[in-house]
Amino acid sequence: DYIYEYFVEGGKTFDSAGSQTMNLGISHVFALLYQYTGDTRYLNTAKQIIVEDWPKSGDWLNNAQAGKEYYESKLPRWEALHTIITLGLLYEIEGDPIYYNALEDIWWSIAKTDRHNDGGFTSGEQAVGDPYNTGAIETCCTVSWMALGTEYLQLSKNSYVADELELSYFNGMLGALLEDDKYVT
């Protein structure tokens, strides 16, 4: 509620806090809060972020509808996947296929253009359109890829998505653990 009051009632955009893509992930939380409480303020805020803030950032919904690959967005960063997950929740809540289709298009775009053979996602913390790019694949990036895959799997029930999650988990995640299992590379 404090976040709602500060930003929405305070007339501030969520990208005004300084880190545009990262701050938009709160849309996912607002959609979850709506599912738990039924308070329409939360649903309206999640949708407001997608309609008003996404176009200023990566414009992921409109890009997906236009048939663009994820890496072609203005901000194809790994942090954006946390706000993109909101599409799945909005589909669950409202049943509008626009949300599901965009989620599906983004997931498949990443799977074909930026998921590396070890299951990791990104090169240098963003999608670049080349799964063979030798840029660093950070653990946080793969975690966000797996979170997006989990949301998409829940809706699609597509076993290929489960296979992708398994690939990322056993190779990208477990493969990053150091010997003592307390640290990751």
Side-chain angles (χ1 to χ4, degrees):
D1 286 333
Y2 177 77
I3 293 170
Y4 178 85
E5 290 168 13
Y6 181 83
F7 285 98
V8 179
E9 291 177 0
K12 296 175 176 66
T13 62
F14 286 92
D15 67 351
S16 68
S19 230
Q20 204 173 41
T21 307
M22 292 167 238
N23 292 340
L24 301 181
I26 195 74
S27 63
H28 178 221
V29 175
F30 279 119
L32 286 170
L33 284 169
Y34 171 76
Q35 285 184 316
Y36 292 128
T37 68
D39 187 334
T40 56
R41 293 179 309 152
Y42 300 137
L43 175 61
N44 293 338
T45 302
K47 292 170 66 175
Q48 175 188 341
I49 291 169
I50 289 173
V51 170
E52 294 178 17
D53 292 324
W54 279 22
K56 297 180 224 167
S57 192
D59 207 11
W60 306 285
L61 176 61
N62 292 326
N63 286 345
Q65 290 178 311
K68 292 183 178 180
E69 301 292 352
Y70 178 71
Y71 72 88
E72 295 176 311
S73 71
K74 292 185 288 187
L75 285 170
R77 300 216 12 113
W78 68 273
E79 296 97 343
L81 300 190
H82 298 293
T83 192
I84 290 169
I85 290 171
T86 308
L87 295 171
L89 293 170
L90 290 178
Y91 175 72
E92 290 175 35
I93 293 165
E94 296 188 335
D96 189 334
I98 288 173
Y99 299 128
Y100 178 83
N101 293 337
L103 176 70
E104 183 172 58
D105 290 348
I106 292 167
W107 189 90
W108 283 102
S109 173
I110 291 170
K112 79 178 176 192
T113 64
D114 275 285
R115 195 270 297 146
H116 295 264
N117 60 358
D118 68 350
F121 162 63
T122 75
S123 298
E125 297 192 354
Q126 69 179 16
V128 296
D130 178 7
Y132 305 105
N133 186 295
T134 58
I137 305 168
E138 294 189 16
T139 306
C140 51
C141 304
T142 302
V143 168
S144 67
W145 167 237
M146 292 174 67
L148 182 70
T150 300
E151 180 65 29
Y152 178 50
L153 176 62
Q154 290 175 16
L155 297 172
S156 71
K157 311 271 190 274
N158 185 328
S159 63
Y160 185 84
V161 181
D163 291 342
E164 285 291 316
L165 283 166
E166 183 178 272
L167 175 70
S168 295
Y169 176 73
F170 283 112
N171 296 295
M173 296 309 302
L174 289 182
L177 284 175
L178 294 175
E179 258 181 65
D180 61 7
D181 294 337
K182 291 182 184 175
Y183 303 98
V184 295
T185 58

